[in-house]
């Protein structure tokens, strides 16, 4: 069965989706079977994988309408995608009266998990019912952390929700993969200050790697490409390669 990694941070704009897309593309390039499940109504990971987010309700139909997951998946050169759409924004309300509502995503992914080595879930930038569904479905959580105050503060909130999911036996086996510093600019004073603060609060949880900010990384985003396709030997490409080796023991 696939290893299911939920990529979570309750703060938006901290590199969560970009990290999800690049990890999926890199693991696919290493010869693994990969599915990216876009669980954010903004559907930026869907677009980032080259899929038109206006053509299908994707994961929403699996959760709310009971559609077969396999019929919703789109294949791309960077891995398979279970798309999102703006319809997912209302899913939390629609779930309220549904039986086993916390387990809807888990049930949807279980249908196809045997077909993949890794499933990456791009979670919404909020600790919503959708996020709880993702944590119930996942085997591990990865928390990207940008070196800015609200992103660092959000780590404790995500860890608290993780503990809650385990405490109430929604997913007893959920584990933290680690905190991944992203969009790091080591030249700035604020980065050094927040890196120190993060280390003081969560030192043993921080992965021994980081993703540096670079011009090539921004250019890759603008071109709608993964860093491995656009500039694999850039500092950011090298950083992601190191991170994947350390997180999953996969060599690109």
């Amino acid at each position: 069965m696939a290893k299911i990694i939920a990529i979570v941070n309750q703060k938006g704009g901290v590199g969560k989706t970009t990290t999800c897309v690049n990890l999926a593309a890199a693991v696919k390039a290493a010869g693994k079977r990969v599915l990216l499940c876009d669980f954010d109504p903004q559907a930026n990971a869907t677009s980032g994988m080259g899929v038109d987010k206006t053509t299908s309700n994707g994961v929403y139909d699996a959760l709310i309408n009971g559609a077969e997951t396999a019929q919703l998946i789109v294949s791309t050169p960077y891995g398979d995608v279970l798309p999102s759409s703006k319809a997912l924004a209302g899913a939390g309300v629609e779930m309220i009266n549904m039986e086993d509502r916390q387990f809807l995503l888990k049930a949807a992914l279980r249908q196809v998990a045997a077909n993949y080595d890794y499933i990456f879930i791009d979670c919404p930038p909020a600790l919503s019912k959708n996020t709880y569904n993702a944590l119930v479905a996942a085997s591990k959580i990865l928390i990207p952390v940008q070196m800015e105050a609200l992103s660092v503060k959000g780590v404790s909130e995500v860890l608290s929700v993780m503990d809650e999911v385990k405490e109430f036996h929604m997913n007893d086996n959920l584990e933290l993969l680690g905190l991944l510093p992203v969009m790091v600019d080591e030249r700035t004073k604020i980065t050094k200050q927040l890196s120190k603060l993060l280390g003081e609060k969560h030192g043993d949880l921080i992965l021994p790697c980081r993703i540096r900010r670079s011009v090539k990384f921004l250019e890759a985003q603008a071109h709608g490409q993964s860093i491995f396709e656009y500039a694999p030997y850039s500092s950011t490409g090298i950083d992601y390669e190191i991170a994947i080796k350390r997180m999953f023991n996969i060599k690109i």
Side-chain angles (χ1 to χ4, degrees):
M1 297 292 283
K3 296 178 178 66
I4 303 178
I5 316 297
I7 300 176
V8 189
N9 193 314
Q10 62 89 28
K11 172 72 170 60
V14 298
K16 175 182 56 63
T17 295
T18 304
T19 294
C20 190
V21 169
N22 280 284
L23 290 181
V27 174
K28 168 69 173 178
K32 302 297 182 180
R33 301 170 301 165
V34 174
L35 173 66
L36 188 154
C37 172
D38 189 351
F39 212 45
D40 184 345
Q42 298 177 80
N44 290 329
T46 297
S47 298
M49 293 288 280
V51 177
D52 185 349
K53 62 184 179 183
T54 66
T55 60
S56 168
N57 284 334
V59 68
Y60 171 87
D61 283 333
L63 268 62
I64 305 302
N65 298 326
E68 292 186 19
T69 306
Q71 301 301 315
L72 303 169
I73 290 172
V74 180
S75 294
T76 82
Y78 314 116
D80 288 355
V81 181
L82 180 55
S84 183
S85 70
K86 62 182 180 181
L88 192 62
V93 175
E94 296 178 76
M95 289 178 192
I96 290 175
N97 296 318
M98 297 180 70
E99 187 176 356
D100 295 330
R101 58 186 177 273
Q102 298 96 334
F103 300 90
L104 294 174
L105 182 61
K106 181 175 183 178
L109 294 181
R110 185 184 293 151
Q111 296 178 30
V112 297
N115 300 330
Y116 298 99
D117 299 305
Y118 290 89
I119 297 175
F120 296 99
I121 306 173
D122 185 34
C123 296
L127 300 179
S128 62
K129 289 183 176 66
N130 287 356
T131 305
Y132 276 83
N133 250 269
L135 299 191
V136 170
S139 50
K140 295 183 184 295
I141 295 177
L142 175 65
I143 307 177
V145 187
Q146 184 182 356
M147 290 300 105
E148 65 96 28
L150 291 178
S151 178
V152 172
K153 180 181 178 182
V155 170
S156 296
E157 297 176 22
V158 175
L159 294 175
S160 178
V161 171
M162 176 182 170
D163 290 341
E164 185 178 337
V165 167
K166 297 179 71 172
E167 180 183 352
F168 288 95
H169 304 292
M170 290 183 277
N171 185 354
D172 292 338
N173 298 317
L174 184 62
E175 297 179 353
L176 179 67
L177 181 58
L179 313 183
L180 178 63
V182 297
M183 296 192 286
V184 174
D185 186 345
E186 295 171 331
R187 300 167 299 177
T188 64
K189 184 177 181 180
I190 188 64
T191 292
K192 294 174 183 176
Q193 291 174 339
L194 289 172
S195 294
K196 181 180 179 182
L197 175 62
L198 188 67
E200 291 171 350
K201 295 184 66 175
H202 308 291
D204 56 335
L205 306 180
I206 303 171
L207 291 163
C209 46
R210 84 290 195 230
I211 310 300
R212 286 170 287 180
R213 186 189 296 271
S214 71
V215 173
K216 292 295 184 184
F217 187 52
L218 299 175
E219 290 175 355
Q221 289 180 298
H223 285 80
Q225 296 178 328
S226 77
I227 192 65
F228 299 99
E229 182 181 14
Y230 185 79
Y233 301 111
S234 64
S235 60
T236 306
I238 292 169
D239 288 346
Y240 269 118
E241 184 174 350
I242 292 170
I244 289 161
K245 170 68 174 176
R246 291 180 174 171
M247 286 190 288
F248 309 124
N249 197 28
I250 294 173
K251 185 175 181 180
I252 302 173

